[in-house]
Structures are given as C-alpha cells and as structure tokens.
Amino acid sequence: VSFFPLLEQCSACDAGTYQNASGASSCINCAAGYYSGRGLTQCAVCEPEEYALNDGAGCLACADSTECPCMSMTNASMEQVGL
C-alpha cells in the first residue's frame, strides 16, 4: 500500500494549440490566422501578408493575392469590409 497520493501530470499543448486554464485535460486549436508554439497559453496573430495553415503551428509568407486576398485590396475597400 502506497502512502503517496497520485500526482497529476500536465503535458504541454502541441504547436498550433493552447490552453489557458490550469488543470485542463485538453488543448484548444488556434483560430484561422493565428499560431502558437508548443506549451503556450494563447495563440498569436500572423503578421500582415502572412497566413497560418489549419495546423496553426506557424505563419507563412503570402506569395500573392491568391493566398492572401487582402493583398489585392485598397485601403478604401479594406475599410468597407472592416479590416
């Protein structure tokens, strides 16, 4: 019979996920356009002219407006859609 209580073990969330609640049993995926590294408590937004893949593990530079439609927008059209 052991007299040592069971110790809960935490594990870091993988890149592209986060958890900001202590003792949580699962991680949350980063939203589109956001990324995180392993073990972080929040996701960060990609820089302008960058995008994140569905895995949220990092941001990639946009090659053209096909990958990042906002690259082809003027300031006026961006204001119309709330960007």
Side-chain angles (χ1 to χ4, degrees), residues 27 38 46 63:
C27 299
R38 180 170 164 71
C46 292

Side-chain angles (χ1 to χ4, degrees), residues 49-51 60-71:
E49 298 187 9
E50 290 184 342
Y51 67 98
L60 303 169
C62 298
D64 57 32
S65 62
T66 304
E67 291 179 345
C68 297
C70 291
M71 288 178 68

Side-chain angles (χ1 to χ4, degrees), residues 15-18 28-37 42-47 50-60:
T17 65
Y18 73 99
I28 302 165
N29 292 329
C30 291
Y34 289 77
Y35 71 97
S36 74
Q42 65 183 4
C43 296
V45 67
C46 292
E47 295 295 323
E50 290 184 342
Y51 67 98
L53 296 174
N54 289 339
D55 66 3
C59 296
L60 303 169

